[in-house]
Amino acid sequence: MSVAAVDPGRDKCGLAILSLEGEVLFHEVVATKCLVEKLCQQREVYPFQIIVLGNGTTSAQAKQRIQRALPAVELLVVDMGYPPEFPQAKF
């Protein structure tokens, strides 16, 4: 099993698929309009059952589109706020 992680943005989104052991299986920046299509494609390759969605820019819209396309996949929304002393990973 694996987990998908999405960092939603206005024009592009970070998308990663990780094994339960934390190994990065897939990582790509995708156009926001192609996010759901790319998630569906990657689910064929890496059958994830959970999507972790950051609560950043356009997360509400991303959540709705993902839930419509993948209703059987659990969707967890997480706080993307970081303390200032932690560097933020950039996609």
Side-chain angles (χ1 to χ4, degrees):
M1 189 163 100
S2 55
V3 175
V6 177
D7 181 5
R10 188 168 291 110
D11 300 315
K12 59 187 177 186
C13 300
L15 171 60
I17 312 293
L18 295 93
S19 71
L20 293 182
E21 294 77 32
E23 177 187 1
V24 177
L25 304 172
F26 174 85
H27 180 261
E28 188 174 307
V29 175
V30 299
T32 299
K33 64 182 179 181
C34 300
L35 174 63
V36 170
E37 178 183 351
K38 184 61 81 168
L39 274 169
C40 292
Q41 289 171 355
Q42 291 307 310
R43 190 159 187 251
E44 299 272 328
V45 179
Y46 308 106
F48 53 84
Q49 292 299 318
I50 298 171
I51 299 171
V52 178
L53 176 67
N55 70 341
T57 309
T58 70
S59 62
Q61 296 92 332
K63 180 180 177 182
Q64 290 175 353
R65 292 190 347 257
I66 292 168
Q67 286 178 322
R68 278 195 302 265
L70 298 166
V73 177
E74 183 177 357
L75 184 60
L76 303 173
V77 178
V78 297
D79 184 5
M80 294 286 291
Y82 298 97
E85 64 271 11
F86 290 116
Q88 293 187 21
K90 299 199 183 220
F91 284 99

